[in-house]
Amino acid sequence: MSKDLGIFSLFTVCLSAMGFLFGGAGYLLMILVTLMAIEFICSSLRESLTGQLTLKRLFTRLVRKVVTISLITMAHFFDVMLKTGGTMKDLAIIFYIIYESYQIVSTAKALGIPIPQLFIDVLDMMKNKLRKKS
């Protein structure tokens, strides 16, 4: 019985932390985390095939993912302070969804996998729009 209580307590603490750090686990955040995992795996496999995989590269890629999640947390905190209703967090998540998607397509292209032209067009359009606003 106490083992079940410990698992339930851990689950509750994790949900509370997600609520505090990200304002909950919405679909955008779940999509981003999934794409980050896919990109991490695909890039690592590509480097493995080309003989470029090193522990330093893996660790660097992992650190970048952690910092990205930290920036999402920061955007959520700004939302709370400025009472913007999640707008900054959602925009940050969408930006990183586009970035991770572009990285996945680039990895697939480097491996010689045919990419639907629609993917390339949509990602290029979004990338160009983001550059114009910067």
Side-chain angles (χ1 to χ4, degrees):
M1 183 87 163
S2 65
K3 187 176 185 180
D4 291 336
L5 185 60
I7 291 172
F8 180 72
S9 297
L10 179 64
F11 182 70
T12 304
V13 167
C14 289
L15 284 179
S16 297
M18 284 191 70
F20 175 73
L21 294 173
F22 308 111
Y27 282 115
L28 285 177
L29 184 62
M30 288 189 278
I31 290 168
L32 176 62
V33 170
T34 302
L35 287 174
M36 290 173 87
I38 291 169
E39 191 279 328
F40 183 84
I41 292 167
C42 289
S43 294
S44 299
L45 291 174
R46 184 195 75 224
E47 288 178 356
S48 176
L49 288 174
T50 60
Q52 298 174 335
L53 184 65
T54 63
L55 189 57
K56 182 178 180 179
R57 282 183 179 226
L58 276 175
F59 185 70
T60 301
R61 190 174 297 117
L62 184 62
V63 167
R64 287 182 178 161
K65 303 298 180 196
V66 170
V67 170
T68 299
I69 294 296
S70 300
L71 291 170
I72 300 296
T73 300
M74 187 177 69
H76 169 66
F77 290 162
F78 286 155
D79 275 333
V80 171
M81 289 186 305
L82 300 173
K83 296 180 173 77
T84 56
T87 304
M88 293 178 72
K89 178 189 75 169
D90 289 347
L91 288 173
I93 291 173
I94 290 169
F95 172 82
Y96 288 113
I97 285 173
I98 294 167
Y99 175 77
E100 294 294 331
S101 299
Y102 192 79
Q103 292 298 106
I104 292 167
V105 169
S106 297
T107 299
K109 193 185 284 188
L111 289 171
I113 298 171
I115 309 295
Q117 190 60 40
L118 177 67
F119 285 2
I120 295 168
D121 293 343
V122 167
L123 288 171
D124 283 342
M125 178 187 66
M126 295 172 127
K127 183 175 69 170
N128 290 334
K129 283 188 177 189
L130 288 173
R131 280 189 181 161
K132 286 179 185 177
K133 292 183 180 184
S134 305

